[in-house]
Amino acid sequence: MNTFKSIMSWVIPILVGLLVAELVKIFLFAPVKVDGSSMYPNLQSNEYVAVLKQAKIKRDSVVVFDAYGVDHQNAAITKDTKYVKRVIGLPGDRVEYRNNGDLYVNGKFQSQSYITKSQQKNGTLQLASSLDPASKVTLGTGKAFTVPKGQYFMLGDNRHESNDSRYYGFVPEDKITGVVKVAVWDGKRDVINSFATN
């Protein structure tokens, strides 16, 4: 009997700890590994970031979302495929990408200081010939579009390489896993999202 009590005295705390860890992962935050160059140079392939599942999604937030059922052009998508992208347009936003690379959301200029001028203009406006453009996303001066209710318009920071909303369209809110966060001491906190600015 003493042996059983002794074993249970360390088994129960371990089980409780594992249960708490799993609940935190499911409901609060989880580590995610960046795979690919679509967010370069702000996020590197194989870099780990934290995803806060309860954080508010804002314009310019970097988020993780479930690509299955969103990106129909990529044959390699599985039910486990996640994409990391930056939110450019929130539900109801009117987005215009002008020919010079300037971004206007609801008539207000957005700086996009997290990417180069070349990425703002050429990277965004010159679409890949290997992918079909999204039918409801129009780019260029005077070609504004409205993000539908309950959906988001997202782009990768490495616009030349990114497969994003320009090709698969808007991302439904229920596909978003959470907001990417980097630590306050990380030099990229101003271009991603800082834990300090939840």
Side-chain angles (χ1 to χ4, degrees):
M1 190 68 161
N2 279 341
T3 305
F4 179 75
K5 280 185 175 181
S6 176
I7 292 172
M8 292 312 288
S9 71
W10 58 267
V11 168
I12 290 175
I14 289 173
L15 291 175
V16 169
L18 291 172
L19 178 64
V20 168
E22 188 62 25
L23 290 173
V24 166
K25 183 178 174 185
I26 291 170
F27 296 109
L28 298 177
F29 77 93
V32 171
K33 182 180 176 184
V34 176
D35 182 22
S37 62
S38 73
M39 290 299 293
Y40 180 84
N42 298 318
L43 292 176
Q44 312 290 320
S45 189
N46 297 318
E47 178 177 355
Y48 280 92
V49 295
V51 175
L52 294 186
K53 298 184 177 187
Q54 303 300 320
K56 183 176 179 181
I57 301 169
K58 303 174 187 174
R59 197 174 297 113
D60 288 335
S61 291
V62 176
V63 300
V64 173
F65 68 92
D66 177 12
Y68 187 77
V70 174
D71 183 359
H72 300 285
Q73 297 189 57
N74 185 346
I77 297 282
T78 69
K79 290 183 180 180
D80 296 325
T81 303
K82 306 279 188 228
Y83 281 178
V84 179
K85 303 294 178 194
R86 186 178 299 275
V87 174
I88 302 298
L90 301 170
D93 278 352
R94 187 157 175 78
V95 178
E96 180 184 5
Y97 245 110
R98 296 192 177 167
N99 293 341
N100 63 359
D102 286 350
L103 169 64
Y104 287 82
V105 177
N106 301 324
K108 295 180 182 175
F109 174 76
Q110 307 295 308
S111 76
Q112 302 181 89
S113 60
Y114 46 84
I115 59 173
T116 66
K117 290 288 184 187
S118 174
Q119 287 284 14
Q120 290 175 30
K121 182 178 179 183
N122 300 327
T124 304
L125 298 171
Q126 294 175 358
L127 299 180
S129 59
S130 60
L131 295 169
D132 295 327
S135 62
K136 296 181 181 177
V137 175
T138 52
L139 302 173
T141 302
K143 297 180 180 177
F145 59 89
T146 301
V147 180
K149 182 179 180 180
Q151 299 186 28
Y152 294 81
F153 178 69
M154 300 189 193
L155 297 176
D157 288 354
N158 187 5
R159 306 278 166 83
H160 286 292
E161 303 291 326
S162 181
N163 174 15
D164 49 40
S165 284
R166 295 171 295 169
Y167 306 103
Y168 47 71
F170 307 107
V171 177
E173 185 173 20
D174 64 358
K175 290 285 192 175
I176 298 173
T177 304
V179 177
V180 171
K181 298 289 183 176
V182 296
V184 293
W185 57 84
D186 190 312
K188 296 179 281 195
R189 69 183 178 275
D190 293 333
V191 294
I192 303 299
N193 293 316
S194 169
F195 279 114
T197 60
N198 191 23

